[in-house]
């Protein structure tokens, strides 16, 4: 028999509890156990006035932002609507049914003001990392680093070729916020000073972003495509992540321009920062060949960090002639020995030959005697077009050799498999959290989004490994 038609009837009194209507296995219940936001009011106390109208609770704003980044809600307008309607979101944000939801404009006012001035988002991220360390998710032994391009909120139609862009003519007082931030980071190694090479185009709305192209797919992204554009070039920032490979916990994150020099420099910055903040000094660093330059490898070796990184080596030769790898290095006597057994020395007299001393770029020249090379039966395999063979040795060649020796070990093979965990996090960031394109402009806006996304990923990791205990139903 068909039941009666369901009609909503207004009741005079209601007995309703949010606690009873949020599922016990809801993700937010587990995240709530690890979101330590008790000290936010004390942390921001000096950035509020002692008089005037009471402000919205900053903890409420941060909880709403965490909901948005944990569940891929990119629009703050939509976030306010979802928190207004979703009971689980209200429970996490400590809002009762009758409590109003803040207006979306409140986020911008606080973000560009006290949140950014106090570096609150960096503080929250570091507290999450400290919680992961305290719960045993970070062994501090094997760290992996990589970068991924995130499309900026800019387009080519509103851009100018670099040759037509003169930042000296910009009046900082009349410039938009993103342009002011661009002028502030011109001497920053992560942005303006990262490279002397000018980009092809400069965006008017976000000039600190880099006109770049991501033309190669990672192995993970071939199987699980992300939102990153792989064809035409676009304006972007790079999110640089440093993770512990045990449980893929992000121990640090840094936003830079999308160029290799800035990305490599950010790894040094992050390693120094986690050493100061968390006393983390890893046994090894795992990365791809983009981080395998001589200065970077030398920097790691000086800090007793084993570089599990493919060496960026351009000394190989085409045409079948011997390359530098075919020559044996004799460190004790400071010379190379060719396959024919002849030494290649840097100096052969008591005074230094100006043509053989270091060139000022950290490169030393080693050369055999001319008559020795002329009489050598292997000359056509060594230097067919020169009178004598010359070999150059970079300043950090010792560190490069250490990296080559590590590449022959079984631990290196394991490290190359563990490196894919960084790419998995990037795929999760773009596909699940929806961070394929930035909403905020400027270096500060990009860093704010990267910090919030990394905090959300770490909180989700904690919630997955340590879920909230299930309450048994009463008989």
């Amino acid at each position: 028999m068909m039941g009666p038609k369901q009609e909503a009837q207004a009741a005079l009194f209601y007995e309703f509890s949010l606690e009873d209507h949020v599922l016990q296995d809801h993700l937010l219940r587990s995240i709530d156990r690890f979101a330590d936001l008790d000290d936010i009011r004390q942390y921001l106390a000096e950035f509020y006035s002692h008089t005037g109208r009471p402000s919205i609770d900053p903890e409420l704003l941060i909880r709403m932002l965490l909901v948005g980044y944990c569940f891929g809600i990119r629009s703050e307008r939509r976030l306010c609507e979802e928190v207004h309607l979703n009971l689980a979101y209200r429970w996490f944000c400590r809002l009762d049914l009758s409590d109003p939801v803040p207006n979306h404009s409140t986020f911008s006012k606080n973000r560009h003001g006290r949140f950014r001035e106090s570096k609150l988002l960096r503080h929250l991220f570091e507290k999450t990392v400290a919680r992961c360390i305290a719960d045993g998710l970070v062994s501090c032994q094997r760290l992996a680093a990589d970068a991924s391009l995130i499309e900026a909120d800019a387009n080519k139609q509103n851009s100018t070729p670099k040759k037509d862009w003169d930042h000296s003519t910009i009046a900082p007082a009349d410039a938009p916020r993103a342009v002011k931030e661009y002028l502030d980071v011109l001497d920053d190694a992560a942005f303006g000073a990262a490279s002397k090479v000018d980009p092809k185009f400069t965006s008017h709305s976000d000039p600190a972003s880099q006109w770049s192209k991501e033309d190669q797919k990672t192995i993970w992204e071939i199987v699980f495509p992300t939102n990153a554009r792989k064809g035409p070039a676009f304006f972007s920032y790079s999110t640089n992540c440093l993770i512990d490979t045990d449980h893929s916990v992000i121990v640090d994150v840094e936003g830079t321009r999308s160029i290799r020099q800035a990305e490599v420099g950010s790894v040094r910055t992050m390693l120094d920062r986690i050493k100061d903040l968390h006393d983390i000094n890893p046994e090894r660093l795992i990365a791809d060949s983009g981080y395998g330059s001589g200065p970077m490898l030398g920097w790691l070796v000086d800090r007793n960090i084993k570089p599990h990184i493919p060496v960026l080596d351009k000394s190989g030769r085409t045409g079948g002639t011997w390359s530098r790898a075919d020559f044996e290095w004799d460190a004790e006597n400071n010379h190379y020995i060719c396959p024919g057994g002849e030494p290649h020395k840097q100096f052969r007299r008591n005074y230094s030959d100006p043509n053989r001393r270091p060139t000022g770029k950290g490169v030393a020249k080693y050369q055999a005697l001319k008559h020795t090379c002329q009489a050598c039966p292997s000359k056509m395999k060594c230097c067919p077009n020169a009178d004598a063979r010359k070999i150059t040795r970079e300043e950090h060649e010792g560190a490069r050799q250490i990296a080559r020796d590590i590449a022959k070990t079984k631990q290196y093979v394991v490290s190359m498999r563990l490196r894919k965990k960084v790419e998995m996090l990037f795929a999760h960031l773009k596909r699940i959290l929806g961070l394929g394109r930035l909403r905020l402009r400027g270096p500060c806006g990009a860093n704010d989004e990267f910090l919030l996304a990394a905090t959300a990923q770490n909180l989700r990791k904690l919630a997955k490994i340590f879920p909230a205990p299930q309450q048994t139903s009463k008989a």
Side-chain angles (χ1 to χ4, degrees):
M1 180 178 67
M2 183 181 295
K5 183 178 180 181
Q6 183 71 34
E7 294 183 358
Q9 296 181 357
L12 185 60
F13 300 102
Y14 286 94
E15 183 178 354
F16 188 90
S17 173
L18 279 177
E19 182 70 29
D20 297 336
H21 285 75
V22 179
L23 298 177
Q24 293 297 320
D25 59 350
H26 198 284
L27 179 62
L28 283 178
R29 282 195 178 273
S30 299
I31 290 178
D32 185 61
R33 298 167 58 235
F34 302 102
D36 185 7
L37 307 178
D38 295 336
D39 66 337
I40 286 183
R41 297 179 64 87
Q42 181 180 358
Y43 186 84
L44 294 174
E46 61 179 295
F47 295 91
Y48 283 88
S49 173
H50 297 289
T51 60
R53 187 177 62 179
S55 67
I56 296 175
D57 187 0
E59 181 180 344
L60 170 59
L61 299 179
I62 294 299
R63 285 183 176 274
M64 291 181 65
L65 287 174
L66 289 178
V67 168
Y69 279 84
C70 284
F71 292 93
I73 304 175
R74 300 290 298 138
S75 169
E76 289 172 354
R77 289 176 183 266
R78 185 187 162 211
L79 175 62
C80 293
E81 296 174 359
E82 293 291 334
V83 172
H84 176 70
L85 297 172
N86 193 298
L87 296 180
Y89 296 170
R90 277 185 171 271
W91 173 86
F92 181 79
C93 295
R94 307 295 192 264
L95 292 174
D96 201 357
L97 286 178
S98 59
D99 292 334
V101 177
N103 188 271
H104 65 87
S105 62
T106 309
F107 292 99
S108 297
K109 293 179 180 178
N110 283 275
R111 179 191 302 111
H112 299 310
R114 53 183 64 95
F115 284 4
R116 193 163 291 172
E117 294 172 2
S118 65
K119 299 181 180 179
L120 175 63
L121 301 182
R122 167 64 65 176
H123 172 70
L124 293 176
F125 169 74
E126 290 168 355
K127 285 187 65 177
T128 307
V129 175
R131 180 59 185 268
C132 293
I133 296 174
D135 289 342
L137 301 186
V138 179
S139 66
C140 309
Q141 294 298 314
R142 297 176 297 190
L143 300 186
D146 206 351
S148 183
L149 271 63
I150 306 295
E151 188 176 355
D153 186 22
N155 57 66
K156 185 179 178 182
Q157 285 68 30
N158 188 23
S159 65
T160 300
K162 183 61 180 179
K163 61 181 180 180
D164 300 330
W165 174 270
D166 185 8
H167 60 79
S168 61
T169 60
I170 302 175
D174 302 329
R177 181 182 294 106
V179 178
K180 292 180 181 178
E181 293 179 9
Y182 164 75
L183 297 176
D184 292 338
V185 298
L186 286 176
D187 297 329
D188 194 334
F191 292 96
S195 173
K196 296 181 180 180
V197 179
D198 293 330
K200 188 175 181 180
F201 296 100
T202 299
S203 170
H204 296 167
S205 58
D206 193 355
S209 61
Q210 178 74 23
W211 179 256
S212 56
K213 182 177 180 180
E214 190 173 34
D215 55 0
Q216 288 186 343
K217 295 183 179 180
T218 64
I219 294 177
W220 183 259
E221 290 171 339
I222 291 174
V223 182
F224 299 98
T226 66
N227 292 331
R229 295 166 57 184
K230 302 298 180 180
F234 55 97
F235 289 106
S236 66
Y237 285 94
S238 283
T239 173
N240 302 270
C241 287
L242 190 65
I243 74 164
D244 186 273
T245 59
D246 285 2
H247 293 90
S248 299
V249 172
I250 303 175
V251 295
D252 206 352
V253 64
E254 183 79 8
T256 63
R257 296 189 78 173
S258 300
I259 53 177
R260 181 55 62 182
Q261 296 92 327
E263 294 170 357
V264 173
S266 69
V267 174
R268 301 183 184 182
T269 301
M270 291 188 290
L271 287 172
D272 286 339
R273 187 158 51 207
I274 63 174
K275 174 64 176 177
D276 296 336
L277 293 174
H278 308 293
D279 195 24
I280 296 178
N281 190 26
E283 180 263 340
R284 72 182 67 168
L285 177 70
I286 307 170
D288 60 27
S289 59
Y291 301 84
S293 63
M296 181 62 187
L297 296 175
W299 188 88
L300 292 172
V301 171
D302 290 343
R303 285 157 178 76
N304 296 321
I305 302 175
K306 296 180 180 178
H308 285 236
I309 304 173
V311 178
L312 189 61
D313 192 356
K314 297 182 180 180
S315 64
R317 288 190 169 192
T318 59
T321 57
W322 289 334
S323 64
R324 184 171 59 189
D326 297 315
F327 290 72
E328 180 183 354
W329 169 246
D330 186 351
E332 183 178 354
N333 297 311
N334 188 28
H335 64 230
Y336 278 96
I337 300 176
C338 73
E342 294 295 332
H344 288 55
K345 298 182 179 181
Q346 183 181 9
F347 307 115
R348 296 182 180 275
R349 300 181 181 178
N350 294 330
Y351 58 90
S352 299
D353 187 345
N355 295 325
R356 295 184 182 179
R357 67 177 55 174
T359 61
K361 298 181 180 180
V363 178
K365 295 181 180 180
Y366 295 82
Q367 182 176 343
L369 294 173
K370 179 178 178 181
H371 65 83
T372 302
C373 288
Q374 293 292 338
C376 180
S378 301
K379 184 177 183 303
M380 297 306 296
K381 291 184 179 181
C382 183
C383 51
N385 300 321
D387 294 335
R389 178 62 185 267
K390 297 179 182 179
I391 300 177
T392 58
R393 181 177 177 84
E394 284 75 9
E395 179 182 0
H396 302 283
E397 190 62 28
R400 290 155 65 96
Q401 188 58 46
I402 292 176
R404 293 190 189 99
D405 295 337
I406 292 175
K408 301 175 183 178
T409 63
K410 294 182 180 180
Q411 291 83 358
Y412 179 83
V413 178
V414 175
S415 296
M416 291 300 102
R417 290 201 300 266
L418 294 175
R419 189 179 63 83
K420 303 303 178 184
K421 290 189 175 184
V422 191
E423 298 172 2
M424 295 178 188
L425 283 176
F426 291 147
H428 180 270
L429 177 70
K430 297 175 183 179
R431 295 183 67 251
I432 307 302
L433 303 187
L435 194 65
R437 179 185 173 95
L438 296 174
R439 292 186 307 103
L440 308 180
R441 293 175 177 173
C444 293
N447 268 307
D448 287 349
E449 292 219 58
F450 296 154
L451 285 169
L452 279 170
T455 303
Q457 286 184 296
N458 282 347
L459 287 174
R460 288 174 65 106
K461 179 68 64 176
L462 284 165
K464 179 180 178 181
I465 297 177
F466 305 110
Q470 302 296 311
Q471 296 181 2
T472 57
S473 59
K474 297 181 180 179

